[in-house]
Amino acid sequence: MSLKLHTIICSTRPGRVGPSVAKWFHEFANGQGQFESTLVDLADFQLPVYNEPNHPRLQKYEHEHTRAWSRSVSEADAYAFVIPEYNYCPPPPFINALDYVYNEWNYKPCGFVSYGGVSGGLRSAQLAKQLVTTVKMMPMMEGVMVQTPWSLLDSEKKFTPNEHHEDSGKALLTELEKWARALKTIRTES
């Protein structure tokens, strides 16, 4: 049985670079053979600022956008968050989406494909790693850092990775697979 990876575009703003970077990583992950990757765009879910009356742990969702997001998150064994840096932090849509559900994230590994200016989104990824542990996810030490991604887009906005992006991507997927297989045993026991 193949493991399912969701490559999640975490920025929702118009004109974002995230879809280009995410499309590359999604295709790259599918080509490596450890996972069956699905490209997920947070913008497609149109999640408002958290508006469920019940705690997400109860899974008593009243809104269809929450139920749709819950189904999507539940389908994956692991996640690759393609995440920009906004003022040294993860973007608000990522934090909001993380908060919308709880049990669906539990005991799954995640990695970060961060992007931004000269820091490559590293500060955002570091803070995001702390956040995901509160919903019982295991963040990987390995990650992909993309400095100035806009300079790596062709005229059709296709992202062209450098060798170090691919090497980092391989390392991230190798660790995600190990953790996904191990944590799947915990999820099947509960």
Side-chain angles (χ1 to χ4, degrees):
M1 182 187 308
S2 127
L3 293 167
K4 295 183 183 202
L5 173 72
H6 278 191
T7 299
I8 302 176
I9 304 166
C10 295
S11 171
T12 60
R13 74 172 180 79
R16 60 205 166 130
V17 174
S20 299
V21 177
K23 186 170 187 230
W24 161 72
F25 190 78
H26 159 70
E27 291 171 356
F28 180 80
N30 277 328
Q32 296 303 302
Q34 296 120 312
F35 291 96
E36 176 188 325
S37 176
T38 300
L39 188 58
V40 177
D41 190 345
L42 282 182
D44 292 341
F45 291 88
Q46 298 184 9
L47 296 172
V49 173
Y50 191 78
N51 68 345
E52 287 288 339
N54 299 300
H55 192 283
R57 190 179 305 221
L58 300 174
Q59 295 181 301
K60 293 181 179 178
Y61 305 131
E62 293 189 5
H63 302 290
E64 181 51 36
H65 57 260
T66 310
R67 289 189 289 275
W69 180 236
S70 171
R71 286 189 299 273
S72 177
V73 173
S74 293
E75 292 172 358
D77 297 302
Y79 310 94
F81 296 110
V82 180
I83 192 167
E85 182 171 297
Y86 292 177
N87 300 317
Y88 293 14
C89 294
F94 165 77
I95 297 168
N96 191 48
L98 197 66
D99 289 342
Y100 252 92
V101 297
Y102 177 79
N103 301 314
E104 296 86 340
W105 299 117
N106 291 179
Y107 308 112
K108 296 178 184 178
C110 64
F112 294 90
V113 178
S114 64
Y115 62 93
V118 294
S119 76
L122 282 177
R123 296 169 294 212
S124 172
Q126 283 303 110
L127 283 174
K129 286 177 183 182
Q130 292 177 34
L131 289 170
V132 299
T133 64
T134 65
V135 291
K136 298 184 182 178
M137 272 195 279
M138 180 63 195
M140 300 296 97
M141 181 197 75
E142 294 75 13
V144 180
M145 178 200 65
V146 182
Q147 295 174 302
T148 62
W150 47 87
S151 68
L152 300 171
L153 300 179
D154 67 15
S155 61
E156 296 175 3
K157 293 195 172 191
K158 182 178 180 192
F159 176 75
T160 305
N162 290 325
E163 184 178 344
H164 70 88
H165 299 129
E166 292 179 344
D167 291 344
S168 297
K170 287 176 187 174
L172 173 57
L173 290 166
T174 297
E175 288 302 304
L176 274 174
E177 179 188 20
K178 289 176 188 175
W179 282 94
R181 290 197 186 285
L183 292 174
K184 194 167 193 167
T185 62
I186 294 173
R187 293 196 317 275
T188 56
E189 290 173 1
S190 42

